[in-house]
Structures are given as C-alpha cells and as structure tokens.
Amino acid sequence: MKRTRALARVGFIALLCTSVPVTVACGGGGKEAHHPLPKAGDMPEGGEWTGVYFSTTYGYLHLVKEGATVSGRWRNAAGDKWGEMSGEATGNLFLFDWKENKIGMVGPSASTTGRGYFVYTRPPGENVNDEIKGEWGLGSERTGVSWTAVKQRNMKPDPASVMPDETQKLEGGGWDESKKKSGGDSDSKDDGWN
C-alpha cells in the first residue's frame, strides 16, 4: 500500500512537472532584462570620443568622431573576429549599430549584427585614463552584454589597422596575361613542357 502511494506521488509530480510551461524552467524565455538607457550628459573636461580604447576581451577599439557621427573598428583580443560600428554621440553618450565578422568564415553565420551604447567617463583621481562603459545587444537590442574599455594615451586611431589580411583585396592571376598580350597561345609557344 505504501509503495502504491509513493508511485502515485511520483506520477503526480511527473505530471505536474510536464505541465509547467517550459519558459518557467528556462528562466522566463532566456531574454535579458530590459532596462532604460543612460541619459546623455556633459563630456568630462577635455574629453573627446576620438581615440583608441582597450578591453581585454574586445581588443583595441579605434573611434573617430566627425561632427555628431562616431565610427570605429575593432579586432577582438583572440584575433578571430573584427567589427565595425557607427552612430551618433550626444555629449557623453554614444548610441551605435555594429557588425562583427568571424575571420575565415563565409555564409550567414559569418557575421553578427546588433546595437549598443557607450558612456564616456572619467574615474575620480588625478592623472587617470578616461573610459567608455556600455553594453551591446543582438539584433535590435541595445543592452545585454557589458563592454568597458580604457582610453589609451598617445595612440592615434587607425581603424584600417584592425582589418585582417584576409579581407584585403589581392591582385592576382595574370598567369596567361603575357600570352594574351603577345597574341600567342599555349600550343604555339615553347613553354618547356614539350
């Protein structure tokens, strides 16, 4: 009799567990909590968006500001991804769209896009390095993953420097160019194979 009740309880618990929506078991569907973006404020005295910023995860981010538009490129610290971003800065707040590419991959999974924001800050103290602190999200989301980077002193931004060699257009071919120019073809010339 005790065994029958125990089995009945186990069956009831199993039935209860299978009827609970999966979203509860997965933590609410796996979406990040949405929170409001910071409001734009004044830049710290002497602060400017143009510069090079370093993060141990995302490597060197090269930003250039022209008018209200800020654009930049980075190559992650592992060296297997590079990306570019652009958007508008208002005071110490930069809202951007980004695209990151996986080096050596082609097809739909080779690149990822999203949005994000940075707030330009200066830590308290003397002789400190300015920082950017923000987040990025996938698709239309602007938040989700933190990104903090320290502005590097005496480094001028060079966005082209982060581009991997694999993306550069190479001039190639030409193996039969001399034959076309001379008007000959491979059968009429002695190419050393006869």
Side-chain angles (χ1 to χ4, degrees):
M1 186 78 155
K2 287 183 183 181
R3 184 178 173 118
T4 306
R5 284 187 204 162
L7 288 175
R9 261 190 243 148
V10 169
F12 176 73
I13 292 172
L15 178 63
L16 181 64
C17 287
T18 58
S19 66
V20 174
V22 174
T23 55
V24 172
C26 295
K31 290 191 174 187
E32 295 290 331
H34 295 284
H35 56 274
L37 293 176
K39 295 194 186 310
D42 294 331
M43 286 289 278
E45 185 178 332
E48 63 178 271
W49 283 104
T50 296
V52 180
Y53 303 82
F54 180 74
S55 159
T56 55
T57 302
Y58 302 104
Y60 289 98
L61 169 61
H62 296 251
L63 292 180
V64 176
K65 183 175 187 281
E66 294 175 352
T69 302
V70 178
S71 59
R73 289 186 178 157
W74 73 92
R75 186 165 182 174
N76 70 348
D80 61 345
K81 298 175 187 172
W82 70 275
E84 47 198 340
M85 64 175 57
S86 66
E88 200 166 297
T90 304
N92 70 339
L93 181 64
F94 169 36
L95 302 176
F96 59 86
D97 293 328
W98 60 267
K99 179 179 180 180
E100 186 173 67
N101 305 287
K102 296 174 188 86
I103 297 171
M105 289 190 69
V106 294
S109 63
S111 63
T112 309
T113 60
R115 301 170 78 197
Y117 74 89
F118 282 124
V119 175
Y120 191 104
T121 65
R122 180 169 295 148
E126 291 184 35
N127 199 25
V128 293
N129 292 324
D130 290 350
E131 299 177 336
I132 52 175
K133 296 180 178 186
E135 296 178 78
W136 60 268
L138 294 173
S140 63
E141 297 297 322
R142 201 173 287 280
T143 62
V145 181
S146 296
W147 187 346
T148 299
V150 177
K151 190 169 190 181
Q152 304 298 292
R153 297 181 190 199
N154 303 319
M155 284 184 77
K156 294 188 181 202
D158 181 9
S161 70
V162 303
M163 299 294 292
D165 294 337
E166 295 86 352
T167 63
Q168 295 173 350
K169 183 175 190 256
L170 300 175
E171 298 296 327
W175 61 271
D176 63 347
E177 289 298 314
S178 63
K179 294 177 186 174
K180 287 181 183 176
K181 288 180 184 174
S182 66
D185 60 34
S186 61
D187 293 334
S188 64
K189 283 196 163 185
D190 181 14
D191 57 9
W193 290 97
N194 295 341

